[in-house]
């Protein structure tokens, strides 16, 4: 099964939800995947696409050609992330509104997905990555292997024996497959500790402050030495540095 984020955002901590319509919303049978592949090729030669439509079509074509998934779905943000804003009212307050010409492309992207018979999922007040976390968990529970396509590092926390990420570094032409070993090599911690690393580091793009002086390397070192956040806070007297123990 493949999940794609329709519009990349960067929520700092994924909040899984249990999907209520997993079996009917996400299933695209093998015969439909083959039809989607055929339609993607046909659309590319018969229609004029906007830049956003062209990018999405290339993502779909690449996924279908290289990975031959049995099922595929695309998740989108919808509305304001109410649950996160309740926890942190300044969440993403540093971001400007999307330009009108960008927002106007979204219905056209929906048209491409609908023409390819690819399910698109969105829930008011829920971010795309939270949907991916929910559906990926349900897919693994159902015995499936999951591939997630996104440019958001926060999904690294989902990686495991049955989940991998195609990480889009600078668009779909520059990607890397991230399994558990790749996540640990890149981030310095196992996927299971990634959310705690992000909590220490913070996320300026989401207007979330981290611990002053705790960048990626320092955060990874602390987690590897003390196990988790509780272990770090229980061992403050052992942590070296002129300011880090106090800021923790």
């Amino acid at each position: 099964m493949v999940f794609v984020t329709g519009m990349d955002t960067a929520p700092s901590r994924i909040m899984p939800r249990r999907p209520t319509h997993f079996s009917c919303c996400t299933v695209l049978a093998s015969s439909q995947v083959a039809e989607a592949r055929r339609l993607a090729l046909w659309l590319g030669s018969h229609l004029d696409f906007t830049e956003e439509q062209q990018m999405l079509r290339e993502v779909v074509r690449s996924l279908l050609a290289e990975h031959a998934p049995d099922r595929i779905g695309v998740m989108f943000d919808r509305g304001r992330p109410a649950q996160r804003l309740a926890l942190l009212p300044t969440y993403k307050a540093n971001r400007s509104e999307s330009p009108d010409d960008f927002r106007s492309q979204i219905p056209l992207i929906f048209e491409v997905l609908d023409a390819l018979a690819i399910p698109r999922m969105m829930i008011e007040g829920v971010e795309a990555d939270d949907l991916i976390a929910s559906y990926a968990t349900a897919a693994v529970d159902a015995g499936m292997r999951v591939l997630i396509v996104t440019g958001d590092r926060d999904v690294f926390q989902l990686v495991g024996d049955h989940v991998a990420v195609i990480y889009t570094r600078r668009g779909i032409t520059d990607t890397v497959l991230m399994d558990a070993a790749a996540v640990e090599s890149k981030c310095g911690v196992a996927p299971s500790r990634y959310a705690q690393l992000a909590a220490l580091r913070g996320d300026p793009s989401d207007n979330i402050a981290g611990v002053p002086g705790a960048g990626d390397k320092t955060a990874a070192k602390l987690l590897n030495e003390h196990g988790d956040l509780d272990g770090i806070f229980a061992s403050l007297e052992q942590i070296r540095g002129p300011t880090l123990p106090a800021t923790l």
Side-chain angles (χ1 to χ4, degrees):
M1 174 172 286
V2 170
F3 295 124
V4 185
T5 49
M7 307 292 173
D8 274 338
T9 56
S12 68
R13 185 172 181 271
I14 293 173
M15 298 179 179
R17 296 164 54 96
R18 176 63 60 179
T20 57
H21 298 294
F22 172 75
S23 61
C24 62
C25 286
T26 64
V27 171
L28 187 64
S30 299
S31 60
Q32 292 173 291
V33 171
E35 179 67 7
R37 184 184 296 111
R38 185 188 67 79
L39 282 170
L41 294 171
W42 185 91
L43 287 171
S45 59
H46 287 76
L47 296 180
D48 292 329
F49 281 92
T50 65
E51 182 178 352
E52 288 79 9
Q53 286 176 306
Q54 178 73 12
M55 182 179 300
L56 180 59
R57 182 181 66 86
E58 289 304 316
V59 169
V60 172
R61 288 182 60 179
S62 175
L63 287 172
L64 295 177
E66 294 181 23
H67 301 284
D70 292 324
R71 296 167 174 82
I72 186 170
V74 183
M75 278 67 168
F76 291 88
D77 296 338
R78 185 177 182 89
R80 292 168 58 80
Q83 191 173 2
R84 286 196 177 84
L85 287 170
L87 295 172
L88 182 66
T90 57
Y91 178 62
K92 290 188 177 179
N94 56 336
R95 295 195 181 188
S96 58
E97 286 282 334
S98 300
D100 290 339
D101 57 348
F102 176 78
R103 290 199 300 270
S104 68
Q105 301 299 317
I106 296 177
L108 302 177
I109 290 173
F110 289 173
E111 289 180 7
V112 173
L113 293 172
D114 293 344
L116 296 172
I118 293 177
R120 47 185 172 91
M121 285 76 82
M122 63 196 83
I123 297 176
E124 185 68 33
V126 179
E127 295 187 276
D129 293 322
D130 296 329
L131 287 176
I132 285 179
S134 297
Y135 282 97
T137 299
V140 171
D141 288 346
M144 302 178 190
R145 298 183 66 84
V146 174
L147 193 59
I148 300 169
V149 184
T150 183
D152 185 356
R153 293 180 300 171
D154 290 319
V155 299
F156 289 170
Q157 66 193 269
L158 301 175
V159 171
D161 292 340
H162 302 287
V163 179
V165 172
I166 297 179
Y167 182 54
T168 57
R169 293 178 292 196
R170 286 183 295 274
I172 195 61
T173 59
D174 183 6
T175 65
V176 60
L177 182 64
M178 303 295 293
D179 57 11
V183 170
E184 186 159 4
S185 175
K186 178 178 178 62
C187 304
V189 296
S192 59
R193 291 177 176 172
Y194 185 85
Q196 297 186 64
L197 181 143
L200 290 169
R201 180 196 62 208
D203 192 339
S205 69
D206 282 348
N207 205 35
I208 297 175
V211 175
D216 284 301
K217 291 183 178 180
T218 298
K221 182 174 183 291
L222 289 172
L223 288 169
N224 288 325
E225 288 179 351
H226 302 286
D228 56 18
L229 293 178
D230 289 338
I232 292 171
F233 294 132
S235 308
L236 291 179
E237 69 282 356
Q238 301 175 21
I239 295 174
R240 305 292 183 183
T243 60
L244 188 56
T247 57
L248 283 166

